[in-house]
Amino acid sequence: MQVPMLDLKAEYRYMKADIDAAIAKCLDHQHWILGPEVKELEEKIAAYLSAKHCVGCSSGTEAIVLALRALAIKTTGKEYFERKHLIATTPFTFTATGDAILRAGATPVFVDIDPRTFNLDIVQLKACVEKTSGVVGIIPVHLFGRPCEMDKVMMIAASKKIFVVEDIAQAFGAQYQGRKLGAIGDLGCFSFFPSKNLGGFGDAGMVSTGDPQLHDLVRMLTKHGGKDKYNVDHIGYNARLDTLQAAILLVKLKHIDDFNARRRAIALRYNEGLKDVPGVTTPEIIDGHVVHQYTVRVGNRDQVQADLKTAGVQSMVYYPFPLHTMKVFKDNGARIFGSLANAEKASLEVMSLPIEPLQTREATEAVIAVLSKSV
Ligand SMILES: Cc1ncc(COP(=O)(O)O)c(C=O)c1O
């Protein structure tokens, strides 16, 4: 049996009639740039999150850049942050989180993760913000779909009057203490990369915020930096959300809660099936967690991955290199707070298993059986 990480063809077949109709509607109206579907998606997602404003954009990476640039303009009066402005974040994330900080002119300061959650260690984060001068904000990343402890993150930020930009690329639909992620921090940044829980048929993203000034700034920056693109105020981007992506995402949005529930059910079955397998550490699945990746720790990862591959089970490593070890961050003055030993250890041990919402029970059982034999 072949078990892929994700089966986007199966997902397309599952909603083919609606997606084909949505695309046909776009072919008919030909409003490819900021067509009616973009506004409709922004309004539907704002309502879904209980966020005041949402702005569609071209990717999750651009969402973070746009959010930070808007904050730079609002809080410093200048177009970009300066390198002396530090933004605390995790080194155990996709490159884009740290890269966006550099692109907005600021410097990332990497803080270690909690080995149990793979998210920022709250004690370390608090110490970093209290002991390091120049920290202007925090980017918590809800890694693998698990919400960060947002009450604590917001308290740490409030105590120093610094901002919080949530990186929700991997956690669309997740919630913390009954509130959807994206309606908690100053801004929330979403990715609709095809493999995400809510994924388009190409690159796309969104920024959410409750602040009208930040909303205006983000929207302007997506459109070259002005309300009127022929007479602009700021150094902007061409970073609009495509009409076609919005049309497809509107269809997929209808399935998001069902698909997230299916992901949780698969994860809970994996946890049950793997709980007594020596050498495998399974993740905790908490309330509000949407399990973008089902990630275990194993000691002999290369061998286990090879065995899984032989048996037809795909696996992936997210992430093999923590950000602070990469040339781009070393060369551009990224800072480190204390030890990042937990992030370094995780990068050597983690392995993600197939978690396709439409995955059959047999496929899930096959993954459990193969992994149980190979460790
Ligand atoms: C944690 C995280 N942040 C940011 C991004 C960037 O999103 P995108 O690929 O849509 O630019 C991704 C995904 O790729 C991600 O996983």
Side-chain angles (χ1 to χ4, degrees), residues 185-326:
D186 296 280
L187 298 119
C189 301
F190 295 89
S191 164
F192 303 134
F193 184 83
S195 64
K196 297 297 196 254
N197 288 30
L198 179 63
F201 287 4
D203 282 309
M206 189 161 282
V207 180
S208 59
T209 184
D211 179 320
Q213 189 187 352
L214 291 172
H215 166 239
D216 274 359
L217 285 165
V218 169
R219 198 172 282 289
M220 280 198 272
L221 291 171
T222 61
K223 299 189 288 184
H224 303 279
K227 290 212 162 96
D228 173 354
K229 79 172 179 181
Y230 300 109
N231 182 11
V232 302
D233 307 311
H234 298 289
I235 304 172
Y237 309 90
N238 180 353
R240 297 168 298 228
L241 172 64
D242 255 18
T243 301
L244 202 51
Q245 295 306 334
I248 292 159
L249 288 162
L250 276 166
V251 175
K252 295 189 102 182
L253 182 64
K254 291 186 205 149
H255 299 273
I256 189 68
D257 287 342
D258 175 37
F259 273 32
N260 280 344
R262 288 168 183 255
R263 285 174 178 276
R264 285 179 58 87
I266 296 166
L268 292 170
R269 175 60 204 133
Y270 276 151
N271 271 4
E272 182 57 29
L274 296 170
K275 72 174 190 296
D276 296 324
V277 180
V280 176
T281 309
T282 56
E284 189 186 34
I285 307 298
I286 60 165
D287 278 354
H289 184 163
V290 292
V291 204
H292 172 60
Q293 295 297 343
Y294 179 83
T295 304
V296 296
R297 287 178 189 258
V298 284
N300 48 343
R301 185 172 68 193
D302 289 350
Q303 186 57 50
V304 175
Q305 279 202 290
D307 291 350
L308 291 177
K309 191 173 175 198
T310 308
V313 174
Q314 208 187 350
S315 65
M316 296 291 283
V317 173
Y318 302 115
Y319 293 95
F321 304 105
L323 268 50
H324 64 286
T325 65
M326 294 182 193

Side-chain angles (χ1 to χ4, degrees), residues 45-46 48-54 138 140 142 146-158 162-168 171 173-190 207-211 214 287-288:
I45 291 184
Y48 178 84
L49 303 174
S50 297
K52 282 211 182 85
H53 311 280
C54 280
I138 304 170
H142 307 287
R146 179 185 170 124
C148 293
E149 296 164 84
M150 285 308 292
D151 52 343
K152 298 184 182 127
V153 173
M154 295 310 289
M155 253 158 56
I156 294 169
I162 61 177
F163 65 75
V164 175
V165 171
E166 294 180 71
D167 180 340
I168 320 167
Q175 51 188 40
Y176 186 72
Q177 295 178 342
R179 288 171 76 191
K180 285 266 173 0
L181 305 182
I184 303 177
D186 296 280
L187 298 119
C189 301
F190 295 89
V207 180
S208 59
T209 184
D211 179 320
L214 291 172
D287 278 354

Side-chain angles (χ1 to χ4, degrees), residues 20 25-26 57 74 82 86 89 92 121-122 176 189 215 226 232 262 264 267 306 311 314 319 333 353 359 364:
D20 289 357
K25 205 169 148 202
C26 295
C57 65
K74 178 177 170 176
E82 293 171 43
L86 307 182
T89 193
F92 196 57
D121 180 319
I122 294 296
Y176 186 72
C189 301
H215 166 239
V232 302
R262 288 168 183 255
R264 285 179 58 87
Q314 208 187 350
Y319 293 95
L353 296 175
Q359 188 167 304
T364 305

Side-chain angles (χ1 to χ4, degrees), residues 350-372:
V350 290
M351 182 181 73
S352 299
L353 296 175
I355 189 135
E356 161 53 54
L358 299 177
Q359 188 167 304
T360 61
R361 182 74 190 217
E362 294 73 56
T364 305
E365 296 306 322
V367 175
I368 294 170
V370 174
L371 185 57
S372 307

